[in-house]
Amino acid sequence: MSSPLLKKKEAGYSMPFGTRILPDDGVLFRLWAPGAKEVDLCLLPADGLVSPLPMTSHPEGWFVLHHPTAVKGDRYQFRIDNDLMVPDPASRCQADDVHGPSVVCDPNEFDWRDQNWTGRPWQETVIYELHVGTFSPNGTFAGVTERLDYLVQLGISAIELMPLAQFPGGRNWGYDGALLFAPDNSYGSPEDLKNLVQAAHDKGLMVFLDVVYNHFGPEGNYLYTYAKEAFFTEQFDTPWGAAIRFSGKGTRTVRDFYIANALYWLEEYHFDGLRFDAVHSIFDRSDPDIMEEIAVSVQQGPGLKRHVHLILENDNNSAQYLERQSDSQPRFFTAQWNDDIHHACHVLLTGETEGYYTDYCNNPINHLGRCLTKGFAYQGEISAYRQGQTRGEPSAHLSPLCFVSFLQNHDQIGNRAFGERLVSLTDLQDLKILTALILLAPSPPLLFMGEEFGATEPFNYFCDFEPGLAEQVTKGRRAEFAGFSNFSSPKKLKHIPDPNGEHTFMSSKINWSNIEKEENQEILKFYKILLNIRRQEIIPRLTAIKNGQAGYLIFSPKAMSAWWQIADSSRLTVVFNLQEEIVDTHVYAAASNLFFRIASDDQNPLASGCLPPKSIFWYLSEMEAIDV
């Protein structure tokens, strides 16, 4: 059911939850609280005197009040059953933290100047994932804005912000958000975030936002007190507690809440796309399911006017979400983070085989070949890590553009006990070879902040919960690693950084002064060269890649070739060798001209039949070689 008392749609995004400044006078306050008997609005004027006002009950759990003298900037809370004071779950801004009052905002006040911005097509995408709190010294939206020119010069076309929803305390990864419509005020104001998006558009950059629709954070989620039965279900297990109740009788408002949130970020903040966190932990038996309904709502809304890209994280490898229509446009979602390709590369680079790397330790080069040319490594095969369950769906028929590739991201670094980056875990030459593989392969690549210049700061898991919860989280974090050989004793486990410690957060901040060092400048130059080649030579050909016409050939446990057919009958081909020894490449058809290589000599492996040690070669017709 839509929220009540909406007589007409005002200019801008018409959000069906939260407050609405009315065009004639006052503010409309709304709260969906099906578990409450009565709700009062508590305005908090400047003199600090609170005057609770009873809200009118409407069908299906809605409480509404039109306050004729309320204005922008007023602080307010809702009082549930004459007892508990709670913030607005659709708060656009918090005065302090998740437990405090919400603030009435005017969403139409910001003066946008990006009316001619229509986004960028997906094939141009090169993503730079960053955490606002650790990307710059001051950890704010303004701090990100100040470095946009740097990202443009690097060759990035899209920045992806880790979740921003208001979280408890002063620091968090973002995946513990409790108020999904309010940008966390530790990063700045809503206007600061809009300034960041507008400045990015001015420079031709897309901005994506990571959103979390599978759970709420463990602190500050007051929906559990007045909408528990309607909003949550114990029927499914998630790593974070009760799942969101998306299917069954009476779930329309819950579904509308998340659809509204997706449209809110795209319409009110002009984001160019969303990355949906861990949709494998969203359980919905409806037809269409909530993710499909969100996708269609976006396509029929902001997607009609501009490029809007929807990206999944989905451990189930559900290819059905990535299917294309007859015009090659996504039926639902644009792409998915391809964890499989990361895991295969990580095993090749580090030799680590514990945890989820168990599924990739047997012939990782084959897993990598499948990812490069057929999408997922797991397309219905049995997963030993998942206790013999099958995982994934066939994906070889899909375009490489359906898969986002990466060597590092927030999860793959931060889920390590000490948050180490690859530059601290593996040989730099090997890392450069696989970086050249990922950045020049057809699938859109993703970089994690600082990767491009070899930043060595860890990216730890960090949070700032209230003391009782903080102790539980610290113990839980260390218990996660108790089964790993490196942490076989309680003494070793104690060395794992405390997620709630301020030092854990501060040590994760990028140290930009290191970028001036010679070794870091060399790495940065390397990334710029690769991204320039991608922009000039790879991206223009991506729409001509023929789906399902790609293959790979393994030469040794650490050497292989892969190729992709282009519509003009040419091929994009790569061959690489991570071994210390020369590898026989056998005899096979190859593309004509070499355009990029890392090698110790001028030998052409496709002509000689020998692949030099520690090397990579990229071939495509009518291009000149670039040596590194």
Side-chain angles (χ1 to χ4, degrees), residues 330-360:
R331 184 184 176 203
F332 296 117
F333 294 91
T334 312
Q336 176 179 316
W337 276 22
N338 195 352
D339 281 342
D340 283 355
I341 199 168
H342 167 272
H343 297 346
C345 288
H346 190 91
V347 172
L348 284 168
L349 287 170
T350 67
E352 294 180 354
T353 59
E354 293 188 279
Y356 44 67
Y357 296 127
T358 300
D359 279 348
Y360 304 85

Side-chain angles (χ1 to χ4, degrees), residues 213-214 238 244 246 276-284 290-291:
Y213 293 168
N214 51 61
T238 80
I244 309 299
F246 283 113
F276 298 89
D277 177 65
V279 301
H280 51 270
S281 290
I282 292 176
F283 304 97
D284 186 6
I290 183 60
M291 295 309 302

Side-chain angles (χ1 to χ4, degrees), residues 139-378:
T140 61
F141 297 130
V144 178
T145 305
E146 291 169 0
R147 289 204 170 267
L148 292 179
D149 285 334
Y150 163 82
L151 296 176
V152 171
Q153 294 164 10
L154 173 61
I156 297 300
S157 63
I159 60 174
E160 181 177 306
L161 306 178
M162 289 175 64
L164 305 174
Q166 186 82 40
F167 48 74
R171 54 191 178 271
N172 195 278
W173 260 29
Y175 298 91
D176 296 309
L179 299 174
L180 303 191
F181 294 80
D184 195 87
N185 51 25
S186 67
Y187 299 150
S189 68
E191 289 71 25
D192 292 332
L193 177 55
K194 291 175 181 178
N195 272 321
L196 166 57
V197 175
Q198 182 159 260
H201 290 170
D202 287 343
K203 299 176 187 300
L205 290 171
M206 297 181 285
V207 188
F208 302 155
L209 177 64
D210 195 340
V211 293
V212 183
Y213 293 168
N214 51 61
H215 74 287
F216 287 88
E219 180 183 346
N221 172 26
Y222 290 97
L223 280 164
Y224 211 80
T225 65
Y226 57 81
K228 178 180 179 181
E229 299 301 324
F231 221 100
F232 304 95
T233 175
E234 301 288 345
Q235 185 177 0
F236 305 103
D237 292 326
T238 80
W240 313 282
I244 309 299
R245 194 169 76 91
F246 283 113
S247 57
K249 184 179 179 180
T251 56
R252 184 67 261 167
T253 304
V254 175
R255 297 171 73 88
D256 287 345
F257 183 83
Y258 286 95
I259 293 170
N261 187 259
L263 294 174
Y264 165 78
W265 292 116
L266 296 171
E267 296 274 31
E268 198 161 303
Y269 281 87
H270 293 200
F271 278 100
D272 300 281
L274 302 173
R275 180 263 189 189
F276 298 89
D277 177 65
V279 301
H280 51 270
S281 290
I282 292 176
F283 304 97
D284 186 6
R285 295 170 177 168
S286 309
D287 184 16
D289 67 33
I290 183 60
M291 295 309 302
E292 293 168 342
E293 194 172 350
I294 288 173
V296 171
S297 298
V298 170
Q299 290 168 1
Q300 296 177 352
L304 291 174
K305 300 172 287 186
R306 55 190 172 95
H307 294 288
V308 177
H309 307 300
L310 303 180
I311 308 164
L312 298 173
E313 180 200 16
N314 187 0
D315 189 64
N316 292 334
N317 284 1
S318 301
Q320 59 181 332
Y321 281 140
L322 305 175
E323 297 290 346
R324 269 25 184 183
Q325 303 179 93
S326 58
D327 61 357
S328 299
Q329 294 303 304
R331 184 184 176 203
F332 296 117
F333 294 91
T334 312
Q336 176 179 316
W337 276 22
N338 195 352
D339 281 342
D340 283 355
I341 199 168
H342 167 272
H343 297 346
C345 288
H346 190 91
V347 172
L348 284 168
L349 287 170
T350 67
E352 294 180 354
T353 59
E354 293 188 279
Y356 44 67
Y357 296 127
T358 300
D359 279 348
Y360 304 85
C361 63
N362 182 21
N363 202 5
I365 196 76
N366 185 60
H367 290 299
L368 177 55
R370 281 172 63 86
C371 290
L372 287 169
T373 62
K374 303 180 186 298
F376 300 128
Y378 278 82

